C-alpha cells in the first residue's frame, strides 16, 4: 500500500467506539497491515491541549460556533502532524471521531451554521477525508446510560436528550448523503456481533 487508508469511527455517546477500534486495530495488525489509532479532539500534543478546553467544564462553556472553531484548530494540527504523515507512509489510520463529529455535534446538535462547517471542511482539511466512515448507531437513551455507567458526566454527555436525538439524526443524514464513504453499523447489539459487522465492511474495502 503506498497511500494508506483512512478509517474514521463516529457515533453518539456510549456507542462502543473505543472497544471496536481496539479490536479492529489488533485484527488488521495480525493481517499484516501497519496501523495507527488516534482520536479527536486530540491525537497530537497541540490538539490534546485544545481537547482539555473542549471536554471539561459547564455544558454552555462554549457556543456551538466557538466549539466548531476550536475543533477545527485541533483537527488541523492533528491532520498536519499525525494523519497525513501516517497515510503518506502507507499506514491504515483508525481515528476515533473526525469531521463528521463536528457536523453532528456542533451542526445538527448545536445548530451551528452548515455553511460555516462545510467551509471549514473545505479550507482546513484540503482533501484529507476518510476513505471509510463507520457510524456506530444506537438510541441515545441507551448510549447515554452506558456512558454514565462508564463514569463521569463529561461536558457533551450533559447536553440533554433532545441534543443527542438531533445528533443521531444528523449522523444518519450524513450517511444518507454520502453512502459511498459511510456505513451505518447497529451498535445496539452484542460486542462480538458489532465487531463482526465492522470486519465484514473493512474486508470488502481493503486488499486481502
Ligand atoms: P470522545 O468522548 O469520543 O472522546 O469525544 C469527546 C467529545 O467531543 C464527545 O462528546 C464528542 C465531542 N466532539 C464534538 O463535539 N465535535 C467534534 O468535532 C469532535 C471530534 C468531538
Amino acid at each position: 500500500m503506498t497511500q494508506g487508508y483512512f478509517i474514521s469511527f463516529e457515533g453518539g455517546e456510549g456507542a462502543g467506539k473505543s472497544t471496536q477500534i481496539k479490536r479492529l486495530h489488533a485484527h488488521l495488525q495480525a493481517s499484516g497491515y501497519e496501523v495507527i489509532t488516534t482520536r479527536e479532539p486530540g491525537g497530537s500534543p497541540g490538539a490534546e491541549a485544545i481537547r482539555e478546553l473542549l471536554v471539561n467544564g459547564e455544558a454552555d462553556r462554549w457556543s456551538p460556533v466557538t466549539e466548531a472553531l476550536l475543533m477545527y484548530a485541533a483537527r488541523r494540527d492533528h491532520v498536519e502532524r499525525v494523519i497525513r504523515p501516517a497515510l503518506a507512509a502507507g499506514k491504515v489510520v483508525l481515528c476515533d471521531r473526525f469531521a463528521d463529529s463536528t457536523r453532528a455535534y456542533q451542526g445538527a446538535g448545536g445548530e451551528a451554521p452548515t455553511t460555516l462547517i462545510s467551509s471549514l471542511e473545505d479550507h482546513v482539511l484540503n482533501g484529507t477525508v476518510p476513505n471509510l466512515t463507520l457510524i456506530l448507531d444506537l438510541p441515545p437513551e441507551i448510549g447515554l446510560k452506558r456512558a454514565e455507567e462508564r463514569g463521569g458526566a463529561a461536558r457533551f454527555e450533559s447536553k440533554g436528550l433532545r441534543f443527542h436525538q438531533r445528533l443521531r439524526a444528523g449522523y444518519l443524514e450524513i450517511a444518507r448523503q454520502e453512502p459511498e464513504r459511510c456505513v451505518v453499523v447497529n451498535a445496539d447489539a452484542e460486542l462480538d456481533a458489532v465487531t463482526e459487522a465492522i470486519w465484514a465492511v473493512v474486508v470488502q474495502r481493503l486488499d486481502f
Side-chain angles (χ1 to χ4, degrees):
M1 210 189 281
T2 52
Q3 248 294 278
Y5 197 82
F6 183 9
I7 305 178
S8 62
F9 280 72
E10 295 283 356
E13 308 300 322
K17 288 181 286 92
S18 322
T19 307
Q20 296 301 335
I21 291 172
K22 267 190 212 128
R23 290 180 172 194
L24 181 61
H25 185 126
H27 207 156
L28 284 169
Q29 231 169 16
S31 309
Y33 285 93
E34 265 201 89
V35 189
I36 68 155
T37 290
T38 186
R39 69 163 182 185
E40 290 208 344
S44 62
E48 289 290 334
I50 297 172
R51 178 188 175 94
E52 291 303 309
L53 297 172
L54 280 160
V55 300
N56 298 313
E58 298 297 315
D60 62 356
R61 181 179 184 186
W62 309 109
S63 76
V65 168
T66 312
E67 261 170 26
L69 295 170
L70 287 168
M71 291 292 175
Y72 265 91
R75 185 161 297 134
R76 175 69 188 206
D77 193 63
H78 184 214
V79 164
E80 282 175 358
R81 291 169 196 261
V82 175
I83 296 180
R84 278 187 201 143
L87 292 173
K91 295 180 185 168
V92 177
V93 175
L94 305 182
C95 194
D96 188 341
R97 301 193 177 283
F98 195 65
D100 297 315
S101 280
T102 310
R103 288 199 210 171
Y105 278 76
Q106 284 66 49
E111 298 173 332
T114 311
T115 45
L116 170 71
I117 294 174
S118 303
S119 150
L120 286 167
E121 274 184 29
D122 289 349
H123 294 286
V124 177
L125 299 183
N126 272 336
T128 302
V129 291
N131 299 100
L132 170 65
T133 296
L134 295 157
I135 298 175
L136 272 54
D137 177 61
L138 84 171
E141 294 85 343
I142 297 173
L144 285 169
K145 196 156 167 278
R146 281 193 199 166
E148 205 177 295
E149 283 162 7
R150 187 179 62 193
R155 209 180 134 246
F156 288 95
E157 286 162 25
S158 66
K159 281 186 183 265
L161 189 58
R162 284 179 65 83
F163 174 91
H164 291 278
Q165 282 163 341
R166 288 200 300 278
L167 175 74
R168 183 190 195 190
Y171 273 126
L172 296 176
E173 178 58 20
I174 294 170
R176 204 186 58 77
Q177 284 174 1
E178 294 185 61
E180 289 290 305
R181 173 174 68 86
C182 301
V183 176
V184 178
V185 176
N186 175 22
D188 186 11
E190 293 295 323
L191 274 185
D192 289 349
V194 179
T195 304
E196 274 171 37
I198 289 173
W199 187 245
V201 174
V202 172
V203 164
Q204 270 186 359
R205 303 281 183 123
L206 284 173
D207 260 352
F208 276 88

